[in-house]
Amino acid sequence: MSEDADAPPDAWRMELSDRMEQIIDRKRSSVQGREESLSAYTHIITAQFAQPEIHSKLGELVPALLKSVKGGASEKETVVALKALAVTLITDPSDTIYDAVYQSLKQTISDSESTLAKIAAIHTLGTATFYGGASEEETQDVMDYLLEIIESDGNSVDAADNGEVVTAALEEWGFLATQLEDMEDSTEPAMDAFVEQLESSDPSVQIAAGENIALLYEKSHTELEDDEDAPPNDSDSDSDASSASDPNAPVMVKRYTVYRREDQLKHTLESLANLSTRRLSKKDKKSLHTNFADILNSVANPTRGPRYQNAVNQETGKRYGSRMTVRIHKAGEMRIDRWWKLHRLKALRRVLQGGFVNHYEHNEVVFDSLPIMIARK
């Protein structure tokens, strides 16, 4: 019942209340009992928007979840507690939670012997930083910490050459970067690390690094200010590429150079977009080809988002950019036409999984994270 989004409200609310009490009152609880309670609690608040139900218990829930994170008697208890904490934060954010959880999460990432716990803690740290009241300076500190993991191939957290840990760090770095407006000073060291990870033998690492590169190129362009002169009307310019799909789109202006060895970068991206090797499965090769074709397109034209296609409307003869869409039940489709939107969508889906659509429709916090106009069908 707790896994069913259509469960009767009285049923899931009663079960949720019982599960919260079991998590908070750890006396005489067994490891298996805590694992079961944490799993059921996470299923319920993922499938249902339960902010009114958990708000009054937040002050007791967070410390109880941290006890299972820091002192979990099994890998499963630790991992499920971390996931429960992340969904709790998205359901009912608080400006004080980042300070309460930061050290415990960082310690788990550094000291846990479990790869799954490290990965879950990295993702939960990203969620806690985004929704837990971290300042811009604190957000940058977390991104620097994640960059150390990336630069060291996981060695900085005792996870040497672990692609899953490095991928998690790359994904959360990109998610947090969507919050920051001015990234000129932090772009160079980040780009050096991401370009190096393009040489990884793990496709997931390569794709996550590439998506961060595309995001940084996108962020190097901002809207033309009222007191600025428009750039030359060049058909190959970035501003023209942006307005080709939408004549009402704002003019975008390049503010700084993202990477000095851009020709070399484009060559690497093109190689990945056309990679042919028996070492990889068909699925991995297709994923590399699709993603790096997008990433290369955005490096060459930073105002073009993921899945951009320079197509022509057969009726009007005008060019347009056909981009990624996400179906939201019967309400319509959400256009993912910028890399920052894709990063946030992926981050929310990592935490909410199958409950994303329900939260998007009912959880204001989730909608505010991705405030995208839905095209009615």
Side-chain angles (χ1 to χ4, degrees):
M1 188 74 75
S2 64
E3 296 180 18
D4 188 356
D6 297 322
D10 289 345
W12 68 256
R13 284 171 181 152
M14 184 178 297
E15 184 182 356
L16 176 59
S17 178
D18 291 342
R19 295 303 187 180
M20 287 192 292
E21 292 302 324
Q22 292 165 5
I23 292 169
I24 293 168
D25 184 9
R26 295 166 58 91
K27 294 178 182 179
R28 297 183 298 277
S29 64
S30 65
V31 178
Q32 184 177 356
R34 290 194 297 273
E35 291 173 356
E36 182 182 332
S37 296
L38 289 164
S39 295
Y41 167 81
T42 306
H43 279 308
I44 296 169
I45 67 170
T46 298
Q48 308 290 346
F49 175 53
Q51 189 274 341
E53 286 73 25
I54 72 171
H55 181 70
S56 63
K57 296 286 187 179
L58 200 63
E60 297 173 277
L61 272 172
V62 172
L65 292 172
L66 285 177
K67 285 183 180 179
S68 287
V69 169
K70 293 184 290 185
S74 70
E75 179 184 63
K76 182 176 180 180
E77 181 183 354
T78 301
V79 171
V80 179
L82 286 163
K83 292 182 178 180
L85 181 59
V87 186
T88 300
L89 283 165
I90 287 182
T91 300
D92 194 11
S94 166
D95 289 341
T96 62
I97 287 185
Y98 170 81
D99 291 334
V101 305
Y102 171 72
Q103 288 299 335
S104 296
L105 295 176
K106 191 174 179 181
Q107 184 175 351
T108 302
I109 297 168
S110 300
D111 299 343
S112 177
E113 296 180 0
S114 163
T115 296
L116 290 178
K118 287 180 183 290
I119 294 168
I122 289 171
H123 287 309
T124 302
L125 176 60
T127 303
T129 306
F130 199 99
Y131 295 103
S135 65
E136 184 172 327
E137 182 178 354
E138 289 169 328
T139 298
Q140 187 63 64
D141 288 343
V142 172
M143 291 171 65
D144 291 343
Y145 173 66
L146 295 171
L147 195 61
E148 288 178 15
I149 298 174
I150 297 162
E151 290 172 330
S152 68
D153 292 324
N155 274 287
S156 65
V157 292
D158 198 22
D161 297 320
N162 189 307
E164 292 177 301
V165 170
V166 175
T167 298
L170 284 163
E171 289 172 341
E172 294 307 322
W173 191 97
F175 175 46
L176 294 178
T178 66
Q179 277 192 313
L180 304 182
E181 292 187 9
D182 183 4
M183 295 198 63
E184 182 174 1
D185 293 339
S186 55
T187 289
E188 185 174 349
M191 280 295 298
D192 288 339
F194 301 154
V195 171
E196 184 175 344
Q197 290 300 339
L198 294 178
E199 305 299 328
S200 171
S201 60
D202 188 325
S204 295
V205 171
Q206 293 173 300
I207 291 170
E211 289 180 343
N212 284 351
I213 289 170
L215 176 67
L216 287 174
Y217 268 86
E218 178 177 274
K219 292 181 77 67
S220 70
H221 288 61
T222 62
E223 292 185 21
L224 182 74
E225 301 288 342
D226 292 338
D227 58 352
E228 289 183 298
D229 293 331
N233 187 18
D234 183 351
S235 61
D236 295 325
S237 69
D238 292 330
S239 58
D240 184 73
S242 175
S243 60
S245 61
D246 182 1
N248 298 316
V251 176
M252 305 299 287
V253 180
K254 178 180 177 179
R255 301 300 180 182
Y256 53 86
T257 298
V258 176
Y259 193 63
R260 299 188 184 282
R261 299 187 296 278
E262 191 170 291
D263 288 344
Q264 181 181 334
L265 172 60
K266 288 180 179 178
H267 176 73
T268 301
L269 297 175
E270 187 172 4
S271 297
L272 289 168
N274 297 285
L275 185 66
S276 177
T277 175
R278 294 181 179 181
R279 177 178 61 84
L280 298 176
S281 66
K282 288 184 178 180
K283 180 180 179 182
D284 284 341
K285 280 193 285 188
K286 182 179 180 181
S287 183
L288 283 173
H289 293 168
T290 301
N291 283 283
F292 278 101
D294 280 353
I295 294 162
L296 176 60
N297 194 5
S298 291
V299 168
N301 303 279
T303 58
R304 297 180 179 180
R307 304 295 186 272
Y308 184 94
Q309 293 178 356
N310 195 12
V312 177
N313 186 309
Q314 297 300 320
E315 294 182 3
T316 65
K318 294 182 178 180
R319 290 187 298 159
Y320 67 94
S322 176
R323 299 185 173 103
M324 182 187 303
T325 58
V326 177
R327 185 72 179 271
I328 304 294
H329 278 329
K330 297 180 180 179
E333 293 180 340
M334 175 196 303
R335 290 181 63 196
I336 306 298
D337 55 359
R338 290 289 180 264
W339 287 101
W340 72 264
K341 296 178 184 179
L342 181 61
H343 276 271
R344 291 194 183 184
L345 174 66
K346 286 188 170 185
L348 289 167
R349 279 180 162 173
R350 279 193 297 270
V351 178
L352 298 172
Q353 300 178 24
F356 167 74
V357 171
N358 194 37
H359 274 263
Y360 192 82
E361 292 182 330
H362 300 102
N363 186 343
E364 186 176 346
V365 173
V366 172
F367 180 81
D368 288 344
S369 302
L370 206 57
I372 298 173
M373 185 68 69
I374 295 177
R376 302 291 172 179
K377 295 210 71 173

